[in-house]
Amino acid sequence: MAKPKRLYQVWKGNNKFFFGGRLIFGPDARSLIVTLLLILIPVVIFCTLVARNLLHEIPAYNAGYAILVVTIVFTIYVLFLLLLTSARDPGIVLRSSRPPEDEFGYESSASVEAGGRLSQSAQLPRTREVFVNGLPVRVKYCETCMVYRPPRCSHCSVCDNCVERFDHHCPWVGQCIGKRNYRSFFLFVSSSALLCIFVFSMSALYMKFLVDEHGTVWKAMKESPASVVLMVYSFVLLWFVGGLTGFHLYLIGSNQTTYENFRHRVDSRMNVYDRGCTNNFLEVFCTKTEPSRHNFRANVNDDTAEPSKGSTYEAHKRNSDEGRRAKVEEDLEIGNDLLKVSQRRDSEEAGDIRSRGRDTLPQKLSDADFGLGLEPQTSPLRYDDYSSSLDRRNERMRV
């Protein structure tokens, strides 16, 4: 009898799994090596060439030892946040093994197939209407995962998964940023900014001691070129992680995601998710992280490892391939644009983003969040009812 496979072994996304499915990374997990080197190399140089010399410069109350201990502990904390962000499920939505055929509609197609026969393509309603905070919001159908996405969910073309409260795909951590790892991502970015400030300050302090000892800045720079390099490196890196921290503080305060802000330019006055600045921060930092919808180590049956290949499924898959390819570049552009946003001053970020929103005409919420809004809709339903029914349907397909 064949040994049953586990879910991570037949996973349809592009994720990479380690330690028997206990850790899940994105397909670009190798970029973590670059991120680790960008953190560890300057910290090692600082500890060996700067902090060690401060042990003799500040002998009182063992302050020099405190600087060295703080650097090591804070670096371990930053690396822990990086692993917590990269190696966990960001909030992947359960897939369906086949389209909901009971909701298919059929319409004539003007295209002529080889052989001269008119084709008839299966069409699902592109959107459904659910209620969020008492207001109607349209959710789109995902042609890859074959489910109606929950509100604020989007399909990442890099990982090939639908992710709840999708923010962006971050190439620096090699993972999608979503509902379950956004908090750790923000803490990682903000803690990295604080680490840059600390290294810059301590390196500048050591340079001051050298200037007092040798008399000139030039002699001090010749005595400790590592301090100069660390100061320049920390200053440049601070523009990136510091600007990114300020940008995400604005997003948290207005209850937006990077995806919504870059692609849809949500007007804060029309944001149904905005609960006020204080409650928005409490929602991100003081709520319990929901458990993953997936048990990647669970056994799966052979009949659930691959979706059904009926005629309806094949027709639906052909219609979805083009849309999947078109979305890849769009998702990657969001991650690349974050570098530009992070280089703005914190004081200018909020004004720039608001002015960008005023440059465009106001849009309806449904238009801003879910495209043009011209697709056919089904009857409205509450999001809680929709989510629970979706979970029940997918649980029946799993062991």
Side-chain angles (χ1 to χ4, degrees):
M1 182 177 179
K3 184 179 179 180
K5 294 184 178 181
R6 299 183 184 272
L7 178 61
Y8 77 91
Q9 294 174 320
V10 296
W11 186 249
K12 297 178 177 64
N14 297 329
N15 302 89
K16 294 181 179 179
F17 295 88
F18 296 92
F19 299 104
R22 293 178 176 86
L23 300 181
I24 174 175
F25 294 87
D28 48 352
R30 292 183 178 179
S31 61
L32 273 174
I33 300 176
V34 178
T35 305
L36 288 172
L37 293 177
L38 290 175
I39 297 173
L40 290 177
I41 290 178
V43 168
V44 170
I45 294 175
F46 174 78
C47 291
T48 55
L49 300 180
V50 177
R52 190 180 64 174
N53 294 326
L54 287 174
L55 299 177
H56 309 291
E57 297 290 346
I58 317 177
Y61 304 104
N62 294 322
Y65 288 97
I67 293 174
L68 186 60
V69 171
V70 168
T71 304
I72 296 174
V73 172
F74 202 65
T75 302
I76 294 174
Y77 173 68
V78 170
L79 296 179
F80 171 75
L81 291 173
L82 175 60
L83 180 64
L84 194 63
T85 302
S86 304
R88 74 189 310 184
D89 174 11
I92 301 173
V93 175
L94 292 170
R95 292 176 181 243
S96 176
S97 62
R98 58 183 60 85
E101 298 186 9
D102 55 324
E103 300 184 25
F104 266 107
Y106 294 89
E107 60 182 24
S108 298
S109 174
S111 61
V112 180
E113 297 178 345
R117 294 176 301 173
L118 288 175
S119 64
Q120 190 178 47
S121 59
Q123 297 292 330
L124 269 170
R126 296 286 297 175
T127 61
R128 297 180 69 176
E129 196 171 76
V130 300
F131 286 94
V132 177
N133 296 329
L135 297 175
V137 173
R138 276 191 280 179
V139 296
K140 294 182 66 176
Y141 177 77
C142 178
E143 297 174 333
T144 303
C145 300
M146 292 180 284
V147 295
Y148 282 97
R149 303 168 186 163
R152 314 191 83 175
C153 174
S154 183
H155 190 91
C156 175
S157 297
V158 180
C159 295
D160 198 24
N161 297 310
C162 276
V163 179
E164 289 190 271
R165 203 183 186 277
F166 178 76
D167 191 85
H168 69 287
H169 183 92
C170 181
W172 297 101
V173 302
Q175 182 64 284
C176 285
I177 307 302
K179 185 177 184 179
R180 298 190 68 250
N181 64 349
Y182 180 78
R183 180 190 305 167
S184 58
F185 169 77
F186 176 81
L187 292 176
F188 164 69
V189 173
S190 57
S191 299
S192 299
L194 293 177
L195 183 60
C196 289
I197 295 174
F198 182 80
V199 171
F200 179 89
S201 302
M202 294 301 102
S203 299
L205 178 63
Y206 182 55
M207 286 295 297
K208 178 182 180 300
F209 289 141
L210 292 178
V211 171
D212 294 341
E213 179 180 349
H214 294 85
T216 63
V217 175
W218 177 248
K219 291 182 179 180
M221 293 173 61
K222 291 175 62 177
E223 180 68 21
S224 179
S227 298
V228 180
V229 173
L230 287 172
M231 290 175 63
V232 174
Y233 178 82
S234 301
F235 181 78
V236 172
L237 194 61
L238 183 61
W239 278 99
F240 173 60
V241 292
L244 196 59
T245 300
F247 175 65
H248 278 278
L249 283 173
Y250 163 73
L251 293 180
I252 295 172
S254 57
N255 207 330
Q256 298 183 55
T257 65
T258 303
Y259 183 80
E260 293 167 349
N261 185 273
F262 270 68
R263 183 177 180 184
H264 302 308
R265 298 179 181 178
V266 176
D267 189 343
S268 59
R269 297 170 298 179
M270 304 173 64
N271 185 4
V272 298
Y273 308 104
D274 189 1
R275 303 168 56 191
C277 184
T278 301
N279 290 329
N280 292 338
F281 273 90
L282 292 176
E283 179 182 340
V284 173
F285 295 107
C286 299
T287 56
K288 183 179 179 180
T289 302
E290 296 182 3
S292 173
R293 294 176 179 265
H294 302 274
N295 180 7
F296 297 106
R297 292 179 51 79
N299 294 330
V300 294
N301 296 329
D302 292 339
D303 56 349
T304 60
E306 291 294 335
S308 173
K309 300 297 182 181
S311 58
T312 304
Y313 170 81
E314 292 295 340
H316 169 74
K317 189 176 185 302
R318 286 194 299 269
N319 292 337
S320 65
D321 286 342
E322 183 177 353
R324 292 175 59 187
R325 290 192 298 268
K327 194 174 182 293
V328 174
E329 294 184 359
E330 190 173 302
D331 286 346
L332 291 174
E333 287 177 358
I334 293 177
N336 294 333
D337 287 344
L338 287 177
L339 178 60
K340 300 177 183 178
V341 174
S342 64
Q343 294 173 343
R344 303 173 186 165
R345 292 183 180 272
D346 293 350
S347 60
E348 296 174 353
E349 286 171 358
D352 291 343
I353 296 173
R354 293 194 184 97
S355 63
R356 183 180 61 186
R358 288 193 292 268
D359 290 341
T360 58
L361 294 176
Q363 298 177 337
K364 294 183 180 179
L365 176 64
S366 58
D367 296 347
D369 277 46
F370 303 103
L372 297 177
L374 301 178
E375 303 88 346
Q377 303 179 34
T378 58
S379 59
L381 72 161
R382 289 173 52 209
Y383 170 60
D384 294 339
D385 297 337
Y386 157 71
S387 180
S388 60
S389 63
L390 177 62
D391 290 341
R392 288 195 299 270
R393 185 180 70 181
N394 284 279
E395 284 296 333
R396 289 197 296 268
M397 300 176 184
R398 299 173 60 184
V399 175

